[in-house]
Amino acid sequence: MAVFGSRKEFKVIVIGAGVTGLTLSHALTKAKIEHVVLEREDVAPAHGSSIGIHANGSRILEQLGCLRAVEKLCIPMKQFVTRLPSGRLLNRSDFFDFIAER
């Protein structure tokens, strides 16, 4: 059993490759701590998904030194669309344009 602060080697298992899991993976990499990320689904599927980063998440990414790099890869959300699995439209909102105007 590894004791905190001891020199025994250990490996961290990160469960989930969402924003939190990938951020933890980045922090562990920077700290040179061996780890593995386990995810049962496809990471960042090409269809029907998005990742939102809220103010508290932005602060953490800034503290880790990677917020600017993440922002460069982001595409601002212009419209929010909700559909059923069948593709039928439930809701369409230009809320983000409204917020940008304020």
Side-chain angles (χ1 to χ4, degrees):
M1 172 187 261
V3 177
F4 185 75
S6 74
R7 297 220 176 249
K8 291 187 178 183
E9 301 224 3
F10 64 95
K11 187 172 191 173
V12 174
I13 301 172
V14 178
I15 307 297
V19 173
T20 303
L22 296 177
T23 301
L24 177 57
S25 175
H26 176 76
L28 291 169
T29 299
K30 286 182 75 169
K32 296 183 169 67
I33 296 174
E34 187 177 356
H35 66 284
V36 62
V37 178
L38 302 178
E39 174 59 56
R40 67 179 169 193
E41 303 292 333
D42 291 339
V43 176
H47 63 283
S49 65
S50 64
I51 296 175
I53 301 173
H54 300 278
N56 57 346
S58 293
R59 283 191 297 274
I60 291 169
L61 294 175
E62 178 68 34
Q63 291 169 2
L64 291 170
C66 62
L67 178 60
R68 299 298 168 240
V70 169
E71 286 178 334
K72 287 179 183 177
L73 297 172
C74 291
I75 299 170
M77 193 175 234
K78 301 281 186 192
Q79 193 175 70
F80 184 82
V81 178
T82 306
R83 294 184 182 275
L84 292 173
S86 66
R88 183 175 151 245
L89 180 67
L90 287 180
N91 181 42
R92 182 184 309 262
S93 172
D94 294 325
F95 176 75
F96 299 101
D97 288 335
F98 171 76
I99 293 298
E101 291 173 8
R102 303 197 94 194

